[in-house]
Amino acid sequence: MSNTDRQHDLVVWGATGVVGRLVAEYLTEQYTPDQLSLALGGRSESRLHKLETALGERRSAWDEIPIVLGDATEPESLHAIAEDTRVVCTTVGPYTKYGTPLVEACIAAETDYCDLTGEVNWVREMIDRYHDDAVEADTRIVHSCGFDSIPSDLGTKLVQSFAIDEFGTPCDMAQIYLEDSRGSVSGGTMASAIEMFRAASTDPLAQQTLRNPYSLAPKGERDGVDPGAQSVPKKDSLRSVWTAPSPMAVVNERVVRRSNALLGYPWGREFECTEVLPMGDGLGGLARANAVWAGITVATAGMAFGPTREGLRRFVFPDPGEGPTREQIESGYFTVRVLGRGTATDGPFVVESQISADRDPGYGATAKMLSEAAMCLVRDQTDSPLAGGILTPASGIGDPLADRLRQAGLDVQVDVWDRPPA
């Protein structure tokens, strides 16, 4: 960053929300005021002071934490916040509704930024409107730094870096598997999903974004050989198990393809990636894959139809601000495995990466991932040729994030794959 004389290293924006609070708790547990100049940001001064008190009770070193006030509907307040910090870490969604003014403020102030959005229509808008401005400002706007999409994006980057180092060539395809997981959803997450489906039902650009597998690639490069997300159950070519479509593929696959493009296509322009849910082998695996596929199909249809979507919002989904209990967060877990296949001079090879955690993927684990992505930006610990732009975790931060996640307690591995995972 060009300006390091700022009052704060990091502002957690939306600190009193479900994930924002978890981020604030994690940062104050892992770091001291001598190591990190932290501020809590949001709209409600009383709620922020209550959080400050609670954090001080957990860690006495943090008995005083600065509070910054602003509102997404008042851009001037966001500009003031951005100008006074080196990095903004935001959990305030739906980003389609609330995110744009903060991105604008950070680019104007040359303040690095990270979030946990999975709203690909909004990310596409940010790319088209602000990528060039962020490049010119040497400002890193790093989207999707939570469960969407660090495990898939960083996992693929680890596979490719290992393949290039060990075999002298990248993998020509990556299969991403969301293995066993247990987690919950909050009202904020569902509000983001509703906004994305609402936009897709009325906005031609949003519709095109969801149809085109390369919709997050740079302008002029939004086509290629990859057919996109798996839409029906299939037998997996690498593991010989039945797989179902992944509901997160619409986000994660596009983020991975953007990483490849932003880095200058080190994995080749014909690189393909697919994210799936492994369901097991035999008739049982096929039955489970069909059941998951049917459930996803019904849920997608319900969200795509306006009256049904509104009914789900009012009577089924939790309200914004509601989230899982502490017990649910701590009892959750996930494993994302990436298998990359390539061909070296002496024959074919397969590389495997794995990222897993013993916390709810969308909350406890996401808080760690988002926090450590922010700390990479704060410490300028990145392995990237890109000094600015609308970036992805793999292209904007890279391998140093894997090291920080290991230190945070996540299991992050990469090696040659020599046997089918259980």
Side-chain angles (χ1 to χ4, degrees):
M1 292 181 61
S2 60
N3 185 352
T4 57
D5 273 338
R6 305 202 180 185
Q7 184 175 356
H8 313 299
D9 292 331
L10 177 62
V11 168
V12 178
W13 180 244
T16 61
V18 177
V19 180
R21 184 184 183 96
L22 292 172
V23 168
E25 289 176 356
Y26 173 80
L27 290 170
T28 52
E29 288 170 358
Q30 296 298 311
Y31 303 97
T32 67
D34 291 337
Q35 297 170 319
L36 176 67
S37 174
L38 177 70
L40 307 175
R43 290 185 302 170
S44 171
E45 186 172 7
S46 62
R47 292 179 65 191
L48 288 167
H49 277 302
K50 185 177 180 181
L51 174 59
E52 178 196 15
T53 300
L55 294 174
E57 291 172 351
R58 293 168 65 98
R59 292 290 186 270
S60 59
W62 290 95
D63 58 342
E64 291 185 17
I65 306 176
I67 287 171
V68 294
L69 298 176
D71 193 311
T73 63
E74 299 175 0
E76 297 83 2
S77 66
L78 301 182
H79 281 269
I81 291 169
E83 289 169 356
D84 210 20
T85 188
R86 298 182 60 215
V87 177
V88 172
C89 169
T90 174
T91 66
V92 178
Y95 293 90
T96 304
K97 189 173 183 180
Y98 299 116
T100 302
L102 185 56
V103 170
E104 292 175 339
C106 286
I107 294 173
E110 299 183 5
T111 297
D112 287 344
Y113 162 109
C114 60
D115 66 29
L116 47 73
T117 187
E119 298 165 49
V120 291
N121 57 306
W122 180 70
V123 175
R124 164 69 179 270
E125 181 184 350
M126 296 302 97
I127 293 167
D128 290 349
R129 292 176 62 180
Y130 300 116
H131 177 74
D132 292 343
D133 292 342
V135 170
E136 185 175 351
D138 284 345
T139 299
R140 296 168 290 195
I141 306 296
V142 188
H143 295 305
S144 306
C145 292
F147 192 48
D148 282 330
S149 298
I150 281 178
S152 301
D153 190 40
L154 183 61
T156 302
K157 172 68 164 56
L158 293 174
V159 160
Q160 294 288 23
S161 295
F162 187 93
I164 293 169
D165 289 345
E166 292 293 317
F167 298 101
T169 188
C171 302
D172 54 29
M173 66 85 70
Q175 192 85 322
I176 304 165
Y177 305 90
L178 174 57
E179 306 278 1
D180 288 343
S181 66
R182 180 167 66 189
S184 306
V185 297
S186 72
T189 298
M190 298 317 301
S192 292
I194 286 171
E195 286 297 323
M196 188 168 69
F197 275 95
R198 180 180 290 128
S201 68
T202 59
D203 182 357
L205 179 59
Q207 294 168 8
Q208 192 272 344
T209 298
L210 295 178
R211 287 196 302 266
N212 181 2
Y214 291 90
S215 58
L216 297 188
K219 294 178 182 179
E221 302 181 36
R222 289 173 178 161
D223 55 36
V225 301
D226 199 326
Q230 178 174 309
S231 59
V232 296
K234 289 184 179 180
K235 192 72 171 289
D236 186 72
S237 60
L238 290 175
R239 294 174 57 179
S240 297
V241 297
W242 287 99
T243 61
S246 168
M248 296 169 61
V250 66
V251 181
N252 294 335
E253 291 179 6
R254 285 164 173 77
V255 170
V256 171
R257 294 186 194 102
R258 179 165 179 79
S259 293
N260 186 33
L262 288 174
L263 292 171
Y265 297 100
W267 314 333
R269 288 183 176 270
E270 295 188 353
F271 167 72
E272 299 182 23
C273 66
T274 307
E275 180 170 297
V276 296
L277 305 176
M279 294 288 109
D281 57 9
L283 293 177
L286 175 59
R288 288 188 290 273
N290 277 312
V292 170
W293 168 67
I296 292 173
T297 300
V298 170
T300 301
M303 289 288 281
F305 184 54
T308 307
R309 184 172 60 242
E310 180 63 17
L312 291 170
R313 183 191 68 80
R314 293 182 59 188
F315 302 113
V316 178
F317 295 157
D319 293 330
E322 295 182 1
T325 65
R326 184 76 56 176
E327 180 181 0
Q328 289 173 322
I329 291 171
E330 294 180 354
S331 64
Y333 54 84
F334 80 87
T335 296
V336 171
R337 192 184 313 275
V338 181
L339 295 182
R341 183 189 64 200
T343 304
T345 54
D346 57 351
F349 63 86
V350 178
V351 175
E352 173 190 14
S353 72
Q354 176 180 300
I355 298 179
S356 59
D358 59 356
R359 288 291 186 273
D360 182 298
Y363 298 94
T366 280
K368 290 186 176 184
M369 290 186 275
L370 180 60
S371 296
E372 293 301 344
M375 290 303 298
C376 284
L377 298 177
V378 168
R379 299 286 187 256
D380 200 24
Q381 294 175 339
T382 64
D383 181 14
S384 170
L386 307 169
I390 307 297
L391 308 176
T392 62
S395 67
I397 302 175
D399 292 354
L401 180 54
D403 295 333
R404 280 197 166 272
L405 294 182
R406 293 185 185 103
Q407 295 169 12
L410 278 75
D411 184 23
V412 182
Q413 305 176 23
V414 60
D415 207 340
V416 176
W417 184 61
D418 58 3
R419 61 182 177 83

